[in-house]
Amino acid sequence: ESHQKMADLPGLAAATPLDLVRAHVKDEYYTARVQEELREALGAVLDPPRLVVWQDELEACAQVLYLGLTSFAGGATPGEEYCDLVPVIGRPRAPTYSPGRVRAWAAVHVIIAYAEAKALVRLRRAARDGSPNARTA
């Protein structure tokens, strides 16, 4: 039944939920590998406390590098290739994305993740310090 619901969504007609999860997991794995390599390279230059301070920026850089080498370059990510995922809307098998749209999606994806991480740090700090601006549930 869930596959039938996915088939009703434009752009995901041939993708099963399992395909989407597999693609995401594979992409997250490779992004984490890029992040680990960056952390190791910066660890040779920065001391551990400074490396922790730059954690959010390191994660954003890893995402930019990964998406830059895959989606920005006009190709599919390894997760998309692994599961043979191609976004389609309208005609079957007609790619609906242009390189510009893919680049815009990737940029927004990275920017939102980075902004969310920074906002959470500020909220945690405000809650820890007992700031009147911190909201409690």
Side-chain angles (χ1 to χ4, degrees):
E1 185 176 323
S2 64
H3 179 65
Q4 180 64 27
K5 289 179 184 175
M6 294 298 284
D8 295 337
L9 295 173
L12 301 175
T16 65
L18 185 57
D19 288 334
L20 297 174
V21 170
R22 284 180 179 159
H24 177 73
V25 167
K26 192 159 200 80
D27 290 335
E28 286 297 314
Y29 169 77
Y30 283 117
T31 302
R33 292 284 312 265
V34 171
Q35 185 175 353
E36 187 58 38
E37 293 293 327
L38 280 174
R39 185 179 296 116
E40 189 175 308
L42 286 176
V45 178
L46 299 175
D47 57 339
R50 279 194 75 81
L51 201 55
V52 170
V53 170
W54 289 95
Q55 182 62 35
D56 294 331
E57 288 75 11
L58 186 69
E59 187 175 331
C61 285
Q63 288 179 341
V64 167
L65 281 172
Y66 179 73
L67 293 172
L69 294 171
T70 57
S71 298
F72 279 18
T77 67
E80 292 167 343
E81 288 177 358
Y82 179 71
C83 296
D84 294 324
L85 298 180
V86 177
V88 294
I89 295 177
R91 295 181 327 184
R93 310 247 186 264
T96 61
Y97 56 90
S98 66
R101 284 180 75 180
V102 171
R103 289 181 186 111
W105 171 84
V108 168
H109 175 74
V110 171
I111 290 167
I112 288 174
Y114 178 73
E116 177 188 20
K118 285 303 196 183
L120 287 173
V121 167
R122 286 190 200 113
L123 286 173
R124 283 187 201 116
R125 187 176 300 134
R128 184 183 65 232
D129 295 342
S131 171
N133 293 331
R135 295 184 183 182
T136 56

